[in-house]
Amino acid sequence: MSTTIYKAELYVADMDRQYYQQHQLTLARHPSETAERLMLRLMVFACHASEMLIFTKGLSSEDEPDLWQKNLTGDIDVWIDLGLPSDKRIRKACGRAQRVFIYTYGRGTAEAWWKSMQSVVARFDNLTIQHIPQEISKALATFAHRQLEVSVSIQDAEVSWHCNGETVVFTPEVRAP
């Protein structure tokens, strides 16, 4: 099975950061990646959008996050992972990047992971963990088409995702500041 390419035209209106931009994106869906995870990557891109933010090799590389933003000297400003990383991976990310964001999703396993990691992550002041409820990630997965046009607006941390005449509105649950 080979990688599937998705094209997205993403319009971002982030009132919290005063960021308003259009992005033409190409997303490579790894054969083992679900539609849910693919759309979460796109949503996370919208929440952190900048001209310097890029999708990495992701699932194809253990040394890179799902997305990152490097500065002009090559240092990592932002490291973004999706899923339930190990404490070793979190330590590595927090040591290499100025800011680290982890987005968990799903139900039971995400809750169990969080309970086991709370004391581990408490020492990292450059780490933010947010959870996307399962009903939201499943709703986003229904929009997974090879050609996408998505508008995302963000205000007071509330995300409004508009695609194909439908809207999904949610606020990621902050687990660790």
Side-chain angles (χ1 to χ4, degrees), residues 34-37 39-40 136-145 161:
T34 64
E36 179 182 21
R37 190 173 192 288
M39 297 310 288
L40 282 171
I136 299 301
S137 62
K138 295 290 185 193
L140 294 176
T142 64
F143 297 111
H145 299 287
W161 171 282

Side-chain angles (χ1 to χ4, degrees), residues 13 88 117 161 164 171:
K88 179 181 176 183
M117 291 301 232
W161 171 282
N164 298 335
T171 303

Side-chain angles (χ1 to χ4, degrees), residues 48 50 52-54 67-71 75-78:
H48 296 271
S50 83
M52 302 289 283
L53 185 66
I54 62 167
L67 299 101
W68 64 15
Q69 179 177 320
K70 292 184 174 183
N71 61 31
D75 294 332
I76 304 169
D77 287 335
V78 179

Side-chain angles (χ1 to χ4, degrees), residues 11 16 20 32 39 58 80 83 85 112 114 119 121 125 134 157 161 163 172:
Y11 301 91
D16 294 347
Y20 308 93
S32 67
M39 297 310 288
I80 303 171
W114 174 238
S119 61
V121 302
D125 59 358
Q134 187 173 26
W161 171 282
C163 184

Side-chain angles (χ1 to χ4, degrees), residues 3-7 26-29 145-147:
T3 299
T4 305
I5 302 300
Y6 288 72
K7 299 283 187 175
T26 300
L27 292 90
R29 182 175 171 185
H145 299 287
R146 303 271 307 269
Q147 296 287 327

Side-chain angles (χ1 to χ4, degrees), residues 12-25:
V12 178
D14 187 337
M15 277 68 74
D16 294 347
R17 296 186 299 136
Q18 301 300 305
Y19 181 86
Y20 308 93
Q21 197 63 254
Q22 175 183 355
H23 295 269
Q24 300 289 332
L25 302 170

Side-chain angles (χ1 to χ4, degrees), residues 21-95:
Q21 197 63 254
Q22 175 183 355
H23 295 269
Q24 300 289 332
L25 302 170
T26 300
L27 292 90
R29 182 175 171 185
H30 190 274
S32 67
E33 185 174 36
T34 64
E36 179 182 21
R37 190 173 192 288
L38 174 78
M39 297 310 288
L40 282 171
R41 285 196 296 130
L42 183 58
M43 183 276 301
V44 168
F45 183 96
C47 290
H48 296 271
S50 83
E51 295 301 318
M52 302 289 283
L53 185 66
I54 62 167
F55 293 103
T56 66
K57 295 177 186 170
L59 292 174
S60 300
S61 173
E62 291 188 21
D63 291 334
E64 296 180 358
D66 291 292
L67 299 101
W68 64 15
Q69 179 177 320
K70 292 184 174 183
N71 61 31
L72 297 175
T73 64
D75 294 332
I76 304 169
D77 287 335
V78 179
W79 174 294
I80 303 171
D81 263 334
L82 276 77
L84 311 172
S86 67
D87 57 339
K88 179 181 176 183
R89 183 169 176 86
I90 293 170
R91 273 194 312 275
K92 176 183 176 179
C94 289

